């Protein structure tokens, strides 16, 4: 067995935690709010920002069940392009919960 030695980061990692509430079922508004928080964290030179679980879609399963296509997101969903652009602009990674 050939084991590779562990490699540890040599620089500090600045992590921003978004302590926020979303609006259940309002993906557009949640994206707008997330954009503002990504922008703020980016201006503070954070490397990563992490949002609560299900932040973009909300926490009410009945809303999702009422229209799965409208109230869920896929990896290539155009509704989150704004967030991709913000991350790219500020050189930050984001972890955003969704269904």
């Amino acid at each position: 067995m050939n084991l590779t030695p562990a490699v540890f980061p040599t620089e500090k990692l600045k992590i921003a935690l978004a302590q926020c509430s979303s609006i259940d079922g309002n993906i557009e508004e949640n994206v707008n709010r997330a954009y503002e928080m990504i922008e703020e964290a980016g201006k503070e030179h954070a490397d990563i920002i992490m949002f609560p679980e299900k932040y973009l879609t909300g926490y009410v399963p009945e809303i999702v069940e009422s229209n799965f296509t409208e109230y869920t997101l896929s990896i290539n969903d155009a509704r989150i392009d704004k967030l991709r652009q913000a991350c790219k602009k500020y050189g930050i990674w984001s972890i955003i919960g969704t269904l």
Side-chain angles (χ1 to χ4, degrees), residues 20-31 33 52-65 70-73 96-99:
C20 50
S21 297
S22 62
I23 300 171
D24 293 331
N26 193 337
I27 292 172
E28 182 179 359
E29 182 59 27
N30 295 334
V31 165
R33 291 176 173 192
E53 65 176 338
K54 299 182 184 178
Y55 178 75
L56 293 178
T57 55
Y59 301 92
V60 181
E62 295 81 16
I63 292 173
V64 174
E65 291 169 1
E70 183 178 344
Y71 296 114
T72 60
L73 294 162
I96 304 178
T98 186
L99 286 179

Side-chain angles (χ1 to χ4, degrees), residues 38-75:
I38 291 169
E39 185 176 50
E40 182 179 346
K43 287 179 180 177
E44 294 294 324
H45 307 288
D47 298 297
I48 298 172
I49 182 169
M50 185 169 185
F51 289 81
E53 65 176 338
K54 299 182 184 178
Y55 178 75
L56 293 178
T57 55
Y59 301 92
V60 181
E62 295 81 16
I63 292 173
V64 174
E65 291 169 1
S66 73
N67 188 331
F68 192 78
T69 303
E70 183 178 344
Y71 296 114
T72 60
L73 294 162
S74 67
I75 191 79

